[in-house]
Amino acid sequence: MTQNQLYEYIDKNLPKYIYLTGKTCTGKTTFANKLVENLNYSTIELDKIVRNSVIKKFDLSDEGNAFGEVYGRRDKINWINSFVKEVQKEITKKKGNSTGVIIEGAVSNVVTIKEIFSDVRDFEFIYFHPQYLKNYIRNIKKRFRLSDRNNNAG
């Protein structure tokens, strides 16, 4: 399905919750912004929640490790619990303020995803995968060039 077809599907059906995930630099944020601007969705950016509820809260210097732990592993359960609690709080806060809520990020651990959506009964799961290899390589290179010494934005 193309992004245009996906947009048309969402415009027609207006799902209350959308979990938008996938590879980095595949257009997740750009697509989410289009839904916000045109269809009155609100967005929850999971990267921001990781930074606030885990990295800042636990005073971590290794941002890459924090994202790897929260999005993929489950070795630091206190980090996971803090993250999930904040995501659920944001979902509750935003659910009545717009057409629907987009939860955008790259959580890949199934247990963590189930915990995040434990109180959400009906949502669309959308996975973005690189479509055009040349564009994807360009976007990844740009992201790495923009990253700082701590891998922020990288």
Side-chain angles (χ1 to χ4, degrees):
M1 179 181 285
T2 68
Q3 285 192 24
N4 287 337
Q5 291 169 324
L6 179 59
Y7 179 85
E8 288 173 17
Y9 170 82
I10 292 170
D11 187 24
K12 179 182 176 187
N13 295 289
L14 296 175
K16 187 67 178 165
Y17 302 99
I18 298 171
Y19 177 47
L20 185 56
T21 188
K23 298 279 188 190
T24 189
C25 293
T26 54
K28 297 182 303 289
T29 302
T30 302
F31 188 77
N33 289 339
K34 184 176 179 179
L35 297 177
V36 168
E37 291 170 16
N38 298 327
L39 301 179
N40 194 36
Y41 274 82
S42 60
T43 310
I44 298 170
E45 295 179 44
L46 297 182
D47 286 1
K48 287 182 181 178
I49 293 178
V50 171
R51 285 188 182 95
N52 292 326
S53 70
V54 177
I55 295 169
K56 286 181 183 177
K57 180 178 180 177
F58 295 98
D59 194 28
L60 304 174
S61 59
D62 187 346
E63 188 173 291
N65 182 53
F67 276 97
E69 174 63 32
V70 173
Y71 283 179
R73 300 181 303 271
R74 289 184 58 89
D75 299 327
K76 308 277 188 187
I77 202 65
N78 55 333
W79 297 5
I80 305 296
N81 289 341
S82 179
F83 170 73
V84 168
K85 180 180 175 185
E86 286 304 310
V87 175
Q88 289 176 333
K89 190 186 302 182
E90 284 296 309
I91 290 171
T92 300
K93 186 166 68 174
K94 292 189 176 201
K95 70 173 144 184
N97 297 337
S98 61
T99 301
V101 180
I102 303 162
I103 299 95
E104 187 257 316
V107 176
S108 61
N109 189 291
V110 175
V111 175
T112 304
I113 292 170
K114 286 181 179 180
E115 288 176 359
I116 289 169
F117 292 101
S118 63
D119 292 335
V120 177
R121 296 292 161 235
D122 186 25
F123 67 94
E124 294 288 337
F125 183 97
I126 300 170
Y127 182 85
F128 274 30
H129 187 73
Q131 190 172 9
Y132 302 106
L133 192 55
K134 285 183 182 181
N135 293 348
Y136 184 66
I137 291 169
R138 180 198 66 221
N139 293 343
I140 289 288
K141 285 180 179 179
K142 182 179 178 183
R143 167 114 3 133
F144 284 121
R145 280 194 304 271
L146 294 175
S147 64
D148 63 21
R149 295 171 75 156
N150 295 320
N151 296 319
N152 293 324

